[in-house]
Amino acid sequence: MSALAQRLVTGAILAIALIAAIFFLSADAMTVVLALLFAGGAWEWAGFLGLPRGVKRLPMVAVFAAAAVAIEWARRGGANFDWLLMTGAAWWLIAAVWVTRFPTPMPRAVIVVCGFLTLLPAWY
């Protein structure tokens, strides 16, 4: 099986699993599933920093997870994060233009900020 075919099959299986989770899991259980997906996204984003797979990526995942927990806790307390959604939307417009100039060298701090701008609005 080619790499593309394998990715398509994996994507289809994961899409079916996610749709099933949306329909059959409680809100709290779905939050856990989405948190695991979010942690996976943070793990992969740590790869953009050049961090090898393994323990060296855990601090990055922990920082993102702590931010996600803080957002979830505040949201459940009634906080409004519409500003975060607007920031995320603006970021995607900027990123769409920025990607046309790819590849551009970026300092690690910029990569981390880009991760927050990408992942946290998606979490919310």
Side-chain angles (χ1 to χ4, degrees):
M1 181 181 297
S2 73
L4 176 60
Q6 184 176 0
R7 287 177 187 239
L8 290 173
V9 169
T10 301
I13 291 169
L14 290 175
I16 292 167
L18 184 60
I19 291 168
I22 289 169
F23 283 108
F24 298 113
L25 293 179
S26 68
D28 288 338
M30 191 63 201
T31 299
V32 170
V33 168
L34 292 175
L36 292 172
L37 290 172
F38 176 83
W43 177 272
E44 290 299 318
W45 203 275
F48 293 148
L49 293 171
L51 299 175
R53 292 190 179 272
V55 176
K56 293 189 178 196
R57 289 190 185 187
L58 290 178
M60 178 81 168
V61 174
V63 169
F64 276 87
V69 167
I71 288 170
E72 185 65 17
W73 178 74
R75 185 192 65 79
R76 289 185 182 211
N80 184 330
F81 283 93
D82 287 348
W83 62 269
L84 184 59
L85 294 177
M86 297 299 177
T87 302
W91 162 244
W92 278 104
L93 290 173
I94 292 166
V97 173
W98 194 359
V99 78
T100 64
R101 297 180 183 3
F102 184 79
T104 54
M106 290 186 287
R108 285 183 155 205
V110 173
I111 295 170
V112 172
V113 170
C114 291
F116 274 97
L117 291 171
T118 301
L119 293 172
L120 292 180
W123 169 252
Y124 178 66

